[in-house]
Amino acid sequence: MNSKFKITHLFLNSNPWFSAVSDYSLQIALYVKMNHNILYCAEVGSTAMKDKCKQHDIPFVHSPIHNQTFINFFKSLFLLIKILSNHKQDLKYIWVFEGREHTLCCITKILFPFFWRNKKLIRVRGQAQNIKSNFISKYIYNKITDKIIFAAECVKKRVQFNLKSDKFIVHYYGKSLLPTNYNNSSFLIHPSFPSIGAKKLVFTVIGRFDPVKGHDYLTEAYLKAKFKDLKDNFIKTQMVYIGYKANVNPKDIYLKYLDIFGEGKYIDSKYYLENKNENKELFIIEEKITNIENLLSITGFGVIPSLDSEVICRVGVEFLQSSVPVLSSNVGALPEVFCDFPELIFNAGDINSLTNKLENSLNLFLDNEKYSNLKEKSKNIGLEKFSSYNYKDIIDFIDKK
């Protein structure tokens, strides 16, 4: 790192994976970078954060913040002191996104206050954990930290003590629009599988394969739902799961429901199930889809069936910005993000509630005017509420004394 390089904003992120919080930090960094010099420090770990920064021409420095051994703590502490020392005049804002680097900055602010003159410590919280009401928490958040940004109102409510009204802001995740391709009529996962789309009702789920993501009860609801047209005929429906293996093996989902669906096949990390009697197909894809915008362009409805807290909701934002209406559970910040679509929200874990929403989505899909208006509304909400340009509100907030 060149000490002559002027830095106005320093971003510290101890999460070694490219999580939703990491993506939130990246989107803020991209916006800030348009007008200021920034430096992003993170642990390389298994994340692509270093590559993400390189892709967007963001200066990056590795810092072993996540694995807090005695040695790594002092390595991180030394790096932070070095940056504060080398950039006494130009560095104005230090952004922290996890508890480790927040604690690290608080320690240096107490021990070396002269390094922090004319600098603001900004805590961005996108985590689901409660902050207990005790002396240390109150001191850190009300005295040491200058500004606090909550990714949703439900996150702010997890602070179990009062914060000064001028100290915090609630600001949802936003990003630049995904590229769109409206000329697609189908999407091919593998030559051995049927194509997705082609005027079928397509539901898409994007998220890691984990019990809290709700794939299991969504599959049950999908099997239970009756997708019939006005002539009482089953129409062709397709459910698409895309994600990486976390605490659930996608192959286990395939094997569990193979007999129930009746037909199936798998190739590498791609699985396909078919219920011929009811014209239902399920695709389970355990890999990253590089041309995801092509799939979104033919998706009828996104589905977010999460059972546990969803705070950042980046997948929901991407669905909306791609003109895809979303069926969403009611956990965490999901009701906040989708407050303009109450009719599409269901009770988390409730198979009957979700089945009802799946069947109702067919009625919307078959009504060309209603569905067209719903897609347009989704696009407008995605643009108005969740554009990356809305980060100007954050910049205005942190600039206030």
Side-chain angles (χ1 to χ4, degrees):
M1 180 180 62
N2 188 349
S3 60
K4 293 182 179 180
F5 175 72
K6 291 186 179 296
I7 302 169
T8 309
H9 294 259
L10 174 64
F11 288 77
L12 300 174
N13 178 20
S14 63
N15 195 326
W17 302 278
F18 192 67
S19 64
V21 174
S22 295
D23 194 18
Y24 192 20
S25 72
L26 177 63
Q27 300 306 324
I28 296 175
L30 288 171
Y31 181 83
V32 172
K33 178 180 174 288
M34 291 193 296
N35 295 306
H36 301 279
N37 291 329
I38 70 174
L39 177 66
Y40 197 107
C41 293
E43 187 159 350
V44 173
S46 62
T47 183
M49 202 67 226
K50 183 178 180 180
D51 295 332
K52 295 280 186 182
C53 287
K54 183 178 180 181
Q55 175 186 344
H56 296 288
D57 197 27
I58 296 175
F60 178 90
V61 171
H62 167 73
S63 177
I65 304 174
H66 177 73
N67 185 13
Q68 277 299 350
T69 63
F70 186 80
I71 294 175
N72 283 345
F73 173 81
F74 279 98
K75 283 182 179 179
S76 301
L77 182 64
F78 176 75
L79 175 61
L80 177 58
I81 292 173
K82 183 179 179 181
I83 292 173
L84 291 170
S85 177
N86 289 342
H87 299 276
K88 290 192 291 287
Q89 302 302 320
D90 49 302
L91 183 56
K92 301 297 180 186
Y93 306 97
I94 294 86
W95 302 72
V96 294
F97 296 86
E98 300 279 357
R100 295 172 181 83
E101 61 269 24
H102 190 195
T103 301
L104 194 67
C105 286
C106 289
I107 291 172
T108 63
K109 205 169 182 181
I110 294 170
L111 297 177
F112 310 105
F114 49 89
F115 282 140
W116 285 84
R117 288 174 189 158
N118 301 318
K119 294 174 177 57
K120 291 183 178 181
L121 176 59
I122 306 162
R123 174 66 161 111
V124 181
R125 279 196 64 86
Q127 295 84 359
Q129 299 91 341
N130 289 329
I131 304 177
K132 294 182 179 179
S133 179
N134 55 48
F135 172 78
I136 295 177
S137 296
K138 289 179 180 178
Y139 185 70
I140 287 175
Y141 278 86
N142 277 324
K143 296 294 183 181
I144 303 295
T145 308
D146 296 288
K147 298 287 183 177
I148 306 161
I149 300 164
F150 296 105
E153 184 66 32
C154 67
V155 183
K156 189 264 175 186
K157 290 179 178 177
R158 290 178 180 134
V159 180
Q160 299 175 351
F161 53 88
N162 292 328
L163 293 170
K164 297 177 182 178
S165 59
D166 62 345
K167 187 174 281 285
F168 71 88
I169 187 176
V170 174
H171 196 283
Y172 299 103
Y173 169 87
K175 67 178 301 179
S176 299
L177 290 178
L178 283 171
T180 54
N181 185 349
Y182 296 111
N183 296 320
N184 289 327
S185 60
S186 64
F187 186 88
L188 191 62
I189 295 297
H190 191 276
S192 298
F193 292 172
S195 63
I196 298 170
K199 298 182 180 181
K200 304 164 190 172
L201 175 55
V202 179
F203 300 97
T204 298
V205 182
I206 302 175
R208 70 182 187 273
F209 291 98
D210 188 291
V212 300
K213 292 299 183 180
H215 293 88
D216 205 42
Y217 86 99
L218 171 56
T219 308
E220 296 287 348
Y222 180 55
L223 284 166
K224 187 176 181 180
K226 302 301 179 184
F227 300 103
K228 293 185 176 182
D229 59 20
L230 298 177
K231 297 181 179 179
D232 204 38
N233 297 317
F234 285 107
I235 73 160
K236 194 78 170 183
T237 60
Q238 298 177 310
M239 183 73 71
V240 185
Y241 296 162
I242 302 173
Y244 62 89
K245 180 169 61 179
N247 296 311
V248 170
N249 188 332
K251 188 175 182 179
D252 291 340
I253 300 175
Y254 168 79
L255 293 174
K256 178 179 179 179
Y257 290 102
L258 178 57
D259 289 339
I260 300 174
F261 273 84
E263 301 284 341
K265 65 173 72 173
Y266 69 91
I267 299 171
D268 298 326
S269 57
K270 306 175 186 71
Y271 307 86
Y272 170 73
L273 292 166
E274 182 181 14
N275 181 335
K276 289 184 177 179
N277 292 332
E278 296 190 5
N279 273 336
K280 294 175 181 176
E281 295 175 306
L282 174 63
F283 299 82
I284 306 171
I285 307 162
E286 186 198 344
E287 63 180 37
K288 183 178 180 180
I289 303 296
T290 55
N291 53 342
I292 189 70
E293 67 276 4
N294 293 340
L295 174 60
L296 293 180
S297 71
I298 57 173
T299 294
F301 289 86
V303 188
I304 304 179
S306 295
L307 293 166
D308 202 355
S309 177
E310 289 281 352
V311 175
I312 304 297
C313 305
R314 56 174 172 160
V315 170
V317 169
E318 291 175 354
F319 276 136
L320 292 177
Q321 291 183 342
S322 301
S323 303
V324 179
V326 181
L327 306 179
S328 163
S329 71
N330 59 351
V331 299
L334 292 173
E336 298 176 48
V337 172
F338 299 112
C339 62
D340 299 284
F341 306 90
E343 72 281 6
L344 301 181
I345 297 175
F346 54 88
N347 297 324
D350 188 332
I351 294 175
N352 290 332
S353 177
L354 177 49
T355 300
N356 179 261
K357 297 302 178 183
L358 289 171
E359 291 178 344
N360 287 346
S361 69
L362 172 61
N363 296 329
L364 291 169
F365 184 73
L366 294 177
D367 188 320
N368 290 335
E369 183 177 356
K370 283 186 178 179
Y371 182 66
S372 179
N373 290 338
L374 185 59
K375 286 179 67 69
E376 185 68 21
K377 180 180 177 181
S378 300
K379 181 79 168 184
N380 291 337
I381 295 296
L383 284 171
E384 293 169 8
K385 287 191 174 182
F386 306 108
S387 166
S388 60
Y389 290 103
N390 290 342
Y391 286 127
K392 181 182 183 300
D393 296 340
I394 291 182
I395 303 304
D396 292 342
F397 167 71
I398 66 172
D399 280 338
K400 289 181 181 178
K401 294 185 178 180

